[in-house]
Amino acid sequence: MAIILASQSPRRKELLSMVVSEFETRPADIDETVKEGIAPLDYVLEMAQEKAACIAKNHPDDLVIGSDTTVVVDGMILGKPVDEADAKAMLTRLSGTTHHVHTAVCMMKGSKTKSEIITTEVTFFELTENEIEEYVASGDPMDKAGAYGIQGPGTLFVKAIQGDFYGVVGFPIAYVKRMLSEF
């Protein structure tokens, strides 16, 4: 049995390598458009499940891991920014607020499926326009939900965190390790 990470995320790949020594990565090509009216927890779980299912259909004897992360502020899902203006708008919205980061993990092997959603509360300092401009100009927020990465320069915006740090990074490895033991 092989372990396959249904992701192209370098962060997820690096974090999974802390739990298992050998695995493959195969990006799942799915539509990640947020459907009108979908609840944030339903959305993130659906994305993780779709990623796993996309790869698992061609690898029924292997263990496939799908994961997705979303940032939610005031009930609104913040995905990856589409451009610099979108990144600036997201960071402005997060400035001085507390938001939730939901990461879903779905594991599939044959007919067995196990899913978990890990939620972490993150509070940002008030950000200056200059801080936002400089961070967006760095390019770092462009491939990250909510337009920031807690594991890089975006950590300077974080006033407090309550929950799983690696859940905010996008792959809660302690939960993943425990889930793997069920397979």
Side-chain angles (χ1 to χ4, degrees):
M1 167 188 83
I3 296 175
I4 302 171
L5 177 62
S7 177
Q8 61 187 5
S9 165
R11 292 169 297 282
R12 288 191 178 115
K13 184 177 179 182
E14 177 185 351
L15 292 172
L16 183 57
S17 72
M18 295 170 68
V19 180
V20 295
S21 57
E22 291 185 35
F23 62 92
E24 303 171 29
T25 57
R26 297 184 189 272
D29 184 23
I30 65 165
D31 179 8
E32 295 188 51
T33 305
V34 179
K35 297 173 189 144
E36 186 73 32
I38 191 168
L41 291 176
D42 293 338
Y43 170 76
V44 74
L45 181 60
E46 184 178 303
M47 291 300 100
Q49 290 172 335
E50 284 186 24
K51 289 175 183 179
C54 177
I55 303 303
K57 68 183 176 192
N58 295 321
H59 299 273
D61 297 326
D62 298 321
L63 173 60
V64 179
I65 305 170
S67 186
D68 195 67
T69 300
T70 193
V71 172
V72 180
V73 61
D74 299 326
M76 176 184 275
I77 297 171
L78 301 182
K80 296 176 184 175
V82 295
D83 56 24
E84 287 188 0
D86 194 28
K88 289 175 188 174
M90 287 184 193
L91 292 166
T92 300
R93 184 165 188 137
L94 294 173
S95 175
T97 69
T98 297
H99 59 276
H100 294 93
V101 179
H102 304 294
T103 294
V105 177
C106 177
M107 296 186 184
M108 293 183 174
K109 182 179 184 292
S111 61
K112 183 173 182 174
T113 300
K114 172 82 175 152
S115 299
E116 294 278 346
I117 300 174
I118 290 66
T119 298
T120 304
E121 191 175 89
V122 180
T123 302
F124 268 24
F125 286 104
E126 288 285 341
L127 306 178
T128 67
E129 193 173 316
N130 190 51
E131 284 176 306
I132 293 171
E133 291 279 340
E134 285 180 4
Y135 183 56
V136 171
S138 77
D140 191 62
M142 299 316 295
D143 69 336
K144 295 169 181 71
Y148 78 96
I150 197 169
Q151 71 280 9
T155 197
L156 299 176
F157 303 155
V158 178
K159 183 176 185 179
I161 177 174
Q162 187 169 2
D164 188 295
F165 173 82
Y166 290 106
V168 181
V169 175
F171 203 64
I173 56 176
Y175 289 90
V176 168
K177 180 167 179 19
R178 282 155 181 76
M179 290 172 72
L180 284 168
S181 70
E182 297 183 36
F183 287 88

